[in-house]
Structure formats: C-alpha cells, structure tokens
Amino acid sequence: MALSWFERNYFIICTVIIGLKLALAYFIPITADEAYFWVWGQHLDINYYDHPPVTGWVVALFSQLGRHIFFSRLFTVLSGAALAWGIYLLAAQAFDCPRKARLISLAFLVSPLHVLFVLITTDSPVFLLVFFSGVTFYHSLRHRNRALMILAGALCGLAILGKYFAGLLAIAFIGSLAYRKDKQFIANAALLLAGALPFVLFHLYGNYATCWTNVLFNVFNRNREASWEFSGLLVFIAFQIYLATPWVLVAIGKKWNTIVTDMNSNGNVFPLLFLIPIAIFGIVSFHDTGLHWTLAFIPLLYPLLVHVHRQSLVRIVACSLIFSMLHLLIIGIALALPISVVKDRWFYNDVVMAYHGPEIYQLIKDRYGSDYTLATNGYYTSSAMTYHSGEHFIVFLDDSKHGRYDDKLTDYRLLDGETIISLRTLPVDEDYSPFFETVRIDELTVAGGTFYIVIGKNFNYRAYRDLFLKKIRNRLYAIPDYLPVGRCYFFEMYFDEE
C-alpha cells in the first residue's frame, strides 16, 4: 500500500509543528501560574507551598539558559516531542506496526493537546513521566524484567513529586497486575514500591520540614468550599472528549473488542493504564476535579491506535490537524490584536501587566525613588512583577489559600518601620491604616489601564502579625495534631514563642 502524504512528509510535519510551538512559547505573554512557577525556579527548594517540587526544579534548570519564560517553556515543547517519538517507537517496535507508526505518532503530534501545550505548568513534567513510566511498566511485563519494573516505579514516584494525582498511575499498575492475574503479583508490586518509595519518603520529609504545606493545601484547604454537583461529571466528560478528540475515541471504540482481546491475550496494559485513572477522576468530578488533571494520562490512549486501520488513521491525522490549525488561527488573531480590544473587561489591567510589566516597574521607580519595599496584594501580580523587574515584589495582605510560597520568602519582622509600596490592579478595598503610621493612595496609568499604588510608611510588624498573620496561621497553617512537625518556617518566623 502506498504511503499517505502525511507519512511521506512525517519529518517535515514534525519540524513545522515544533517550530510553531517554539513560536507560541516565545510570543505568548507569561501567564499567572507560569510567573509563580518561575519564582519557584529562582528559589531551589525541597518543597513548595501548593505542589511538590519537580516543576520548580525543571524551571530552575531551564532558567540557566535565560530568564525569559521561553526557556522554561522549552521543557514543555521538548517533552511533547519526546512523547511523539516514544509513541512512534512503541508502535513500530513493541507492537510491531512499523507501517502505522508514523501515522499514530502524527495523530498525537498534530492533536490540540500537543500543539497547544507550550506553557510551563505542574502538568509539564508529569505529562512526560507518566507516559514513560507506563511504557516502562509495559516492557517490564513483556520481558519479565525486574529492573524495568523498579524503573517504572521510580518514574511514577518522580511523577508524584510533580503532582499528587500521578499516584493514580500506581493504582493503575496494581489494577493491571490484578486483571492479568499475575503470578508474580506480590513480587511485582513490591518492585514498583521499591522504585517509588525513595521519592515518596523524600516528599514526606519535604512536608515534615516545611509545615506540611502540600498536604494542608491539597487535602484540606482547597477542598473546604467544594460541593457535590452532577454537572461536574458532565463537564468532565465533555472536556475529556475534547482532549482526546471525538474521532480518536470513535476509532478506538469501533475496535474495542479487538483491543480487549489483545489485552487478554498479549498483555497490552495501556487500556487499563488509561481507563483506571480517568474513571477515578470521573468519580471525583462530582466533588471537585481540575479539568486539566487528566492531561498526563491522555497520551496513554494513543498506543491503542495500533488496532485502527491505516485509512482511518489518515483521517484521524487530517481531522486533528485541521482542528489544531483552527485553534492556532484563533490564538494568532488574539496575539495580533491590540490589547485595547479588552479594555472594558475586568481583567484588562492584568493583560496590561503581562505586556507592559517592565514599564510599570520603571514608572514606579521614577516616581517614588528606591527607598522602600515593593509589594502587591496577590501571588500572580507579585510573581509577574518579580519576573518583569528582576526585583522581589512581596505579597502583602493576601488571604488567599492559593500561591502562598511568598510566606516562606518574606520575613515581615525585617520590614518593621519600613515604607511599603503596594501595586494593585483593582481599587483598594482593604484598610491598610492599622499597619502603617500613614497611608496614601495614588494612581498610575499605563496603556489605558489604571493601577492603584498604596504607600504605607513606618510599617508596624506587630500589628500585622496580630491582626493578619494570626488569621492566616489559624486558617491555612492548621496542622493536624497527628502529623509530626519537623520545622515550620511560618511558626518559626512569627509564632516561635507560642
């Protein structure tokens, strides 16, 4: 059978797609979470407030190439290319389908999930680690290789150091062993545990030494206001169809009996490695599930395309390519338009900050000199301005449960008596007067956006501790009695005598 146009131009398409992703990585302004993770990367640590540390480590490594967010995003772009190549090798060699391998690889490569995934997020390293952990697990069973089983566990453990939900892959591993009625079930489970355990223990120590912040945030603080809603499941299902694309799911659905036969006869574990985590997420979606949490598990679906006919694969690649190009067209138009088109929207000042952050910083320096501490009232604005200026903007008077890594970076005891200038994107609705001798509010206009500058002189640390930081301690640092505490920076800085 003659090669399709896509197969003949495989490497050209790969080059064009990666080139487009590099362009997006350079031109898309830094986002809120990216700015926050960029700050992580400037402070190499064993743990961060919201999530385990792998993303911070990745940003720290790639930031050595340059401080522009493009270099941090480069990891995401390279990870996607590595997955596409991994899918190709898996189809060509492990499943012995060399005539389909390029099409299956392209099906992933041109999908919106891959093409649009250029930002550096906590999903980026998990995206890579989950897939290759799954591939290693498959090969360990296929070749009965204990070293590979340990490596699969280690990669899964490292993925957990990126995000907790990567642990669902471990559940999928155990479920796969049970489904296969593996005679070496206990031995293989022990090998998986042996590989993952060092990373799990490291993370437990990281929490033990940093106020148990990951556990407090992910288990307690972020779930207090969550409620059970049936609509959550419907939205979850719709979004998974979008991520996997309807044509991929239909093609796999038509071959499901063949896939199940392959799973039972030849030990193809990829259906279970995909379905078990997705099913668990589906159950949890009644309560609270981030729609992007499943990103890392979607690539495990693509090895199932080895059972799909070549002509169907050609149609899948064509549909996904058209779908992705439509997305790119919309993004290109959005980037080309002047930011003034959203001037009447509530988030306009955030857009101005993303594009004109250095100008905002310079105007503040020109107007107020340099004898003060810079601040904002939120983790996004603080992180964004720190990125744009190269100077640390502290987070002042922010009671959010999200993005509180600045609690570790800023010691308010050292600011007692200082002048603090706080930049705000929205009008001032908090009372700053209890914390300063005098307070003045100015306005700053940049690119049609109005920013509010709070100048507080002679900062009163004791008042800030008693009136604000105690509330944060009681609400967000309430460590359960059954958790042993090694060190807690928040307690040591402000409440050591208690």
Side-chain angles (χ1 to χ4, degrees):
M1 184 179 294
L3 294 178
S4 68
W5 181 88
F6 296 114
E7 292 167 285
R8 293 195 305 272
N9 295 281
Y10 175 76
F11 290 104
I12 294 176
I13 297 171
C14 289
T15 302
V16 171
I17 292 296
I18 293 173
L20 286 171
K21 292 189 67 172
L22 289 172
L24 290 177
Y26 184 81
F27 287 109
I28 293 177
I30 190 169
T31 64
D33 284 348
E34 284 185 302
Y36 184 52
F37 302 144
W38 185 88
V39 169
W40 285 7
Q42 313 315 302
H43 302 274
L44 201 60
D45 210 336
I46 61 172
N47 200 34
Y48 297 95
Y49 174 82
D50 316 67
H51 296 290
V54 163
T55 301
W57 297 349
V58 167
V59 173
L61 177 62
F62 278 76
S63 290
Q64 301 306 306
L65 301 173
R67 73 182 308 276
H68 193 284
I69 194 62
F70 168 81
F71 296 103
S72 297
R73 291 170 173 173
L74 191 58
F75 172 81
T76 305
V77 176
L78 294 176
S79 296
L83 259 69
W85 186 243
I87 290 170
Y88 171 83
L89 292 177
L90 192 65
Q93 298 177 9
F95 290 105
D96 195 24
C97 293
R99 291 182 60 81
K100 296 181 180 179
R102 289 188 177 187
L103 289 171
I104 295 171
S105 175
L106 282 174
F108 170 76
L109 192 81
V110 303
S111 68
L113 172 63
H114 173 257
V115 173
L116 304 181
F117 192 25
V118 298
L119 307 183
I120 182 68
T121 72
T122 49
D123 297 302
S124 301
V126 181
F127 194 63
L128 183 71
L129 291 166
V130 163
F131 178 78
F132 283 104
S133 178
V135 170
T136 306
F137 176 71
Y138 167 77
H139 281 297
S140 70
L141 292 174
R142 186 182 180 206
H143 300 290
R144 298 182 181 180
N145 189 311
R146 293 186 175 183
L148 288 178
M149 188 66 73
I150 294 174
L151 179 58
L155 290 172
C156 182
L158 190 56
I160 293 171
L161 282 185
K163 255 186 176 178
Y164 282 163
F165 66 65
L168 295 181
L169 183 64
I171 297 175
F173 286 163
I174 299 302
S176 299
L177 293 175
Y179 181 85
R180 288 163 49 91
K181 299 179 182 177
D182 196 296
K183 294 179 180 179
Q184 299 295 317
F185 178 89
I186 295 177
N188 284 330
L191 292 172
L192 287 169
L193 179 61
L197 191 59
F199 299 96
V200 174
L201 291 177
F202 174 84
H203 184 54
L204 288 174
Y205 171 75
N207 271 274
Y208 170 78
T210 56
C211 313
W212 292 95
T213 51
N214 281 176
V215 172
L216 290 178
F217 174 73
N218 288 288
V219 178
F220 299 103
N221 297 339
R222 75 182 304 170
N223 295 313
R224 283 177 181 159
E225 298 173 4
S227 58
W228 292 85
E229 295 182 8
F230 180 72
S231 60
L233 176 62
L234 298 179
V235 173
F236 173 81
I237 292 173
F239 195 68
Q240 302 322 302
I241 294 172
Y242 166 76
L243 287 178
T245 67
W247 34 93
V248 168
L249 293 176
V250 168
I252 290 174
K254 289 180 178 179
K255 291 293 182 178
W256 189 249
N257 290 337
T258 304
I259 291 170
V260 172
T261 299
D262 183 44
M263 185 169 60
N264 294 334
S265 303
N266 302 316
N268 183 353
V269 295
F270 286 99
L272 292 175
L273 298 186
F274 171 76
L275 286 174
I276 291 175
I278 296 298
I280 295 173
F281 278 128
I283 295 170
V284 177
S285 68
F286 282 107
H287 180 54
D288 180 31
T289 301
L291 295 177
H292 61 94
W293 290 358
T294 61
L295 284 176
F297 298 96
I298 299 296
L300 296 172
L301 189 65
Y302 283 85
L304 305 185
L305 291 176
V306 294
H307 299 288
V308 176
H309 293 305
R310 288 182 72 254
Q311 286 305 312
S312 295
L313 289 173
V314 171
R315 287 193 291 270
I316 286 172
V317 173
C319 289
S320 291
L321 183 60
I322 293 171
F323 196 37
S324 292
M325 291 305 107
L326 289 174
H327 285 77
L328 289 176
L329 178 62
I330 293 171
I331 292 173
I333 292 172
L335 290 174
L337 289 172
I339 63 173
S340 58
V341 298
V342 294
K343 188 174 182 179
D344 296 330
R345 305 302 295 270
W346 64 269
F347 54 81
Y348 180 65
N349 282 354
D350 292 326
V351 176
V352 172
M353 183 175 289
Y355 280 91
H356 297 279
E359 182 181 345
I360 295 170
Y361 171 70
Q362 192 57 52
L363 287 173
I364 293 174
K365 299 295 285 186
D366 292 343
R367 180 181 294 187
Y368 301 106
S370 58
D371 190 19
Y372 49 77
T373 296
L374 290 167
T376 78
N377 65 317
Y379 82 89
Y380 161 57
T381 47
S382 173
S383 300
M385 290 306 299
T386 297
Y387 168 78
H388 287 304
S389 69
E391 183 174 344
H392 181 206
F393 277 65
I394 69 172
V395 181
F396 187 81
L397 210 61
D398 175 31
D399 62 357
S400 171
K401 60 189 174 185
H402 297 280
R404 300 204 64 89
Y405 186 60
D406 195 69
D407 285 349
K408 188 174 185 179
L409 301 181
T410 300
D411 186 345
Y412 282 98
R413 296 173 300 178
L414 305 180
L415 300 180
D416 194 40
E418 298 290 322
T419 295
I420 296 177
I421 292 182
S422 184
L423 171 69
R424 300 174 58 100
T425 59
L426 296 173
V428 179
D429 54 5
E430 294 97 341
D431 184 7
Y432 284 72
S433 60
F435 313 118
F436 297 98
E437 184 176 303
T438 62
V439 175
R440 186 175 89 250
I441 299 176
D442 289 347
E443 292 185 1
L444 185 70
T445 301
V446 178
T450 301
F451 296 85
Y452 303 88
I453 311 292
V454 181
I455 304 101
K457 293 188 175 182
N458 195 12
F459 172 62
N460 186 335
Y461 156 69
R462 183 61 62 175
Y464 192 72
R465 172 190 179 274
D466 292 342
L467 297 177
F468 182 74
L469 294 177
K470 277 189 176 180
K471 293 180 180 178
I472 297 299
R473 179 196 62 181
N474 296 338
R475 187 167 68 89
L476 300 177
Y477 287 88
I479 303 173
D481 293 336
Y482 54 80
L483 290 176
V485 180
R487 297 193 63 181
C488 179
Y489 54 85
F490 200 76
F491 296 165
E492 291 172 5
M493 281 194 288
Y494 307 125
F495 306 104
D496 198 36
E497 71 275 13
E498 298 182 18

